[in-house]
């Protein structure tokens, strides 16, 4: 299976062929403002490195995005969503880099809430391999990067394979991706700067959770009471993010100790395994540290051999149904002299003792907890990079690291 050859129909013409709208009346995608601006000319607060604080800008951005969302309706994703989303037989998510990890979180949400099967593909691989199409799929494209070749190529291939119902989730600077899809959730562009990828990633996770709710409601798998409960939890996120500011000094202290390490391990279970994967990717890209992520449940199948006093182990520990199993995994690491740095919910019973340091992120937030735990992971990579004197802004090379995915 190949991507479009010279002279073959363009992606736009393929989409028009499947669309109910005339070419000059492309379906509207939905844009949400994701920032509340500071006073004119005011600069955002700065962290100890003299750069804008990611958390201080993230909480208002989340609040701005959620301000107008008062109900779970297909129209959140564009004009034709009410016709397309309720008939989806499956979801195919195409993504690269860190967005792939967000997709893994979304898979858990969509399958648990809506009982719709989800397949996730690396766009860079999907576009070059033969695969079996499900014409009843909604194809979701994610990107936090300005390098869209793989994602656009994968969308084009999906359309050519007979899967025209495409949904792009991106910020408004990615107009190419937005216009390539029939449906869209487009956020206002987030200015370049410290932790831009972290902010965009948080917004994309919220959009994916809303998609899960819409799919669940369209299948009558979500009661009105459950819908309101989930919306209330979403509207509490700005406060939860702001609360995370109090973690900054502790994260900086951990970063000072981790900065001399050339290797790190990251662990998580269930929906938090992708959070660990994202944390490891951030540490590689931003702090230039070799980092690998594993499912904590897979430790005994090989990765445990890597544990030593010389390799720090960073863990995301929610207070969910897998908490006790995760505790058992952590004890295995501790018994081998592993040094554990654990981001845990306040209601997660992870004991702080010799070899296990625990930082409490806040109370368990149910299905939204992965969104909360990505924030300290991002900050840990950033402050480790600062301690290692890595340039994380100001050059094209380092900007690519921040924008990856």
């Amino acid at each position: 299976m190949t991507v479009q050859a010279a002279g073959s129909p363009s992606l736009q013409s393929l989409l028009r062929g499947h669309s109910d709208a005339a070419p000059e009346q492309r379906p509207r995608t939905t844009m949400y403002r994701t920032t509340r601006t500071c006073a004119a000319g005011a600069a955002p607060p700065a962290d100890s490195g003299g750069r804008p604080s990611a958390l201080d800008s993230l909480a208002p951005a989340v609040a701005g995005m959620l301000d107008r969302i008062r109900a779970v309706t297909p129209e959140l994703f564009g004009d034709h969503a009410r016709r397309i989303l309720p008939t989806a037989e499956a979801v195919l998510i195409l993504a690269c880099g860190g967005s792939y990890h967000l997709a893994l979180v979304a898979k858990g949400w969509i399958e648990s809430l809506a009982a719709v099967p989800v397949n996730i593909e690396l766009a860079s691989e999907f576009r070059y391999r033969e695969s079996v199409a499900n014409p009843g799929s909604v194809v979701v494209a994610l990107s936090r990067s300005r390098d869209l070749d793989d994602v656009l190529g994968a969308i084009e291939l999906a359309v050519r394979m007979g899967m025209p119902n495409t949904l792009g989730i991106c910020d408004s600077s990615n107009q190419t991706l937005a216009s390539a899809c029939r449906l869209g959730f487009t956020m206002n562009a987030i200015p370049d700067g410290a932790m831009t990828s972290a902010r965009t990633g948080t917004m994309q996770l919220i959009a994916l959770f809303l998609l899960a709710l819409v799919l669940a409601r369209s299948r009558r798998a979500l009661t009105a009471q459950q819908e309101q409960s989930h919306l209330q939890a979403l509207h509490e996120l700005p406060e939860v993010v702001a609360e995370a500011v109090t973690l900054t000094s502790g994260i900086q202290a951990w970063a000072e100790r981790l900065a001399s390490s050339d290797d790190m391990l990251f662990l998580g279970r269930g929906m938090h395994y992708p959070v660990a994967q994202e944390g490891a990717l951030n540490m590689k890209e931003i702090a230039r540290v070799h980092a690998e992520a594993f499912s904590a449940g897979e430790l005994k199948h090989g990765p445990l051999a890597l544990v030593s006093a010389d390799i720090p182990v960073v863990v995301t520990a929610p207070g969910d149904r897998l908490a006790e199993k995760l505790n058992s995994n952590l004890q295995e690491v501790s018994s081998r002299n592993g040094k554990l740095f654990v981001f845990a919910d306040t209601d997660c019973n992870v004991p702080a003792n010799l070899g296990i340091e625990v930082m409490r992120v806040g109370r368990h937030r149910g299905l939204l907890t992965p969104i909360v735990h990505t924030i300290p992971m991002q900050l840990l990579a950033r402050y480790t990079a600062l301690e290692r004197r890595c340039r994380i802004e100001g050059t094209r090379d380092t900007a690519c690291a921040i924008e990856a995915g």
Side-chain angles (χ1 to χ4, degrees):
M1 196 116 4
T2 58
V3 294
Q4 178 183 336
S8 61
S10 70
L11 177 58
Q12 299 302 326
S13 64
L14 287 167
L15 286 167
R16 286 196 294 267
H18 288 284
S19 176
D20 294 336
E24 66 275 10
Q25 295 176 324
R26 289 286 299 141
R28 173 182 61 85
T29 58
T30 305
M31 179 180 290
Y32 290 92
R33 185 174 303 278
T34 61
T35 58
R36 286 175 172 172
T37 57
C38 302
D47 61 26
S48 62
R51 299 166 176 82
S53 167
L55 288 179
D56 284 338
S57 59
L58 179 56
V62 171
M65 177 180 184
L66 294 171
D67 270 349
R68 293 192 235 170
I69 298 176
R70 292 290 179 264
V72 176
T73 63
E75 285 76 15
L76 291 172
F77 296 93
D79 288 339
H80 294 314
R82 183 169 291 278
R83 178 177 56 83
I84 292 173
L85 293 181
T87 62
E89 299 173 5
V91 174
L92 170 62
I93 305 180
L94 304 173
C96 296
S99 292
Y100 181 81
H101 303 143
L102 306 188
L104 292 170
V105 175
K107 175 182 173 72
W109 287 335
I110 294 170
E111 291 186 342
S112 65
L113 289 171
V116 176
V118 179
N119 186 31
I120 303 170
E121 296 271 1
L122 286 166
S124 57
E125 296 294 330
F126 177 82
R127 65 181 296 201
Y128 295 116
R129 74 176 185 85
E130 294 185 0
S131 59
V132 179
N134 179 352
S137 293
V138 169
V139 181
V140 179
L142 296 178
S143 181
R144 287 185 284 173
S145 171
R146 293 190 179 93
D147 183 355
L148 297 174
D149 287 351
D150 287 326
V151 173
L152 292 174
I155 295 171
E156 178 177 351
L157 179 58
V159 173
R160 292 174 64 85
M161 291 169 65
M163 296 183 285
N165 293 327
T166 54
L167 163 61
I169 297 178
C170 58
D171 70 47
S172 60
S173 67
N174 274 337
Q175 284 301 311
T176 305
L177 177 58
S179 63
C181 298
R182 297 182 69 182
L183 306 177
F185 191 104
T186 305
M187 304 164 291
N188 271 14
I190 296 171
D192 289 342
M195 305 297 286
T196 302
S197 181
R199 295 195 292 271
T200 306
T202 301
M203 305 306 169
Q204 286 185 330
L205 280 171
I206 293 171
L208 289 165
F209 187 73
L210 288 168
L211 176 62
L213 294 180
V214 168
L215 291 171
R217 183 177 179 184
S218 69
R219 283 156 180 75
R220 301 184 186 279
L222 194 68
T223 67
Q225 183 178 359
Q226 290 170 329
E227 175 186 340
Q228 287 306 310
S229 177
H230 288 306
L231 284 174
Q232 180 179 343
L234 278 171
H235 284 282
E236 290 173 358
L237 274 179
E239 182 180 341
V240 174
V241 171
E243 184 183 344
V245 173
T246 61
L247 299 177
T248 301
S249 60
I251 291 173
Q252 286 177 307
W254 278 9
E256 290 174 4
R257 296 166 56 192
L258 294 173
S260 60
S261 301
D262 293 322
D263 303 278
M264 294 186 198
L265 299 179
F266 284 72
L267 301 178
R269 289 201 73 148
M271 291 177 64
H272 281 248
Y273 173 37
V275 176
Q277 291 176 292
E278 176 74 348
L281 180 62
N282 292 333
M283 194 63 73
K284 282 184 280 221
E285 290 179 327
I286 301 173
R288 312 297 196 268
V289 175
H290 172 239
E292 299 294 337
F294 297 99
S295 166
E298 288 294 300
L299 277 175
K300 60 186 177 183
H301 299 298
L304 202 57
L306 296 174
V307 173
S308 74
D310 299 323
I311 302 180
V313 182
V314 181
V315 184
T316 169
D320 59 15
R321 61 187 179 87
L322 294 174
E324 289 305 315
K325 290 185 178 296
L326 179 62
N327 258 336
S328 177
N329 302 141
L330 300 188
Q331 295 305 318
E332 290 178 327
V333 173
S334 183
S335 68
R336 287 164 174 77
N337 297 319
K339 303 302 181 185
L340 287 151
F341 297 81
V342 183
F343 291 113
D345 291 344
T346 53
D347 40 2
C348 181
N349 186 27
V350 178
N353 55 40
L354 186 64
I356 304 181
E357 299 195 31
V358 181
M359 190 177 302
R360 301 294 175 181
V361 178
R363 69 176 176 86
H364 185 60
R365 296 284 171 170
L367 290 174
L368 295 179
T369 305
I371 298 178
V372 181
H373 278 239
T374 59
I375 296 169
M377 288 288 190
Q378 289 271 1
L379 288 173
L380 184 63
R382 173 172 174 74
Y383 286 118
T384 301
L386 292 174
E387 290 295 327
R388 290 169 65 88
R389 302 294 189 268
C390 295
R391 292 190 63 195
I392 58 176
E393 298 178 286
T395 69
R396 177 174 179 175
D397 182 50
T398 53
C400 289
I402 291 178
E403 295 293 340

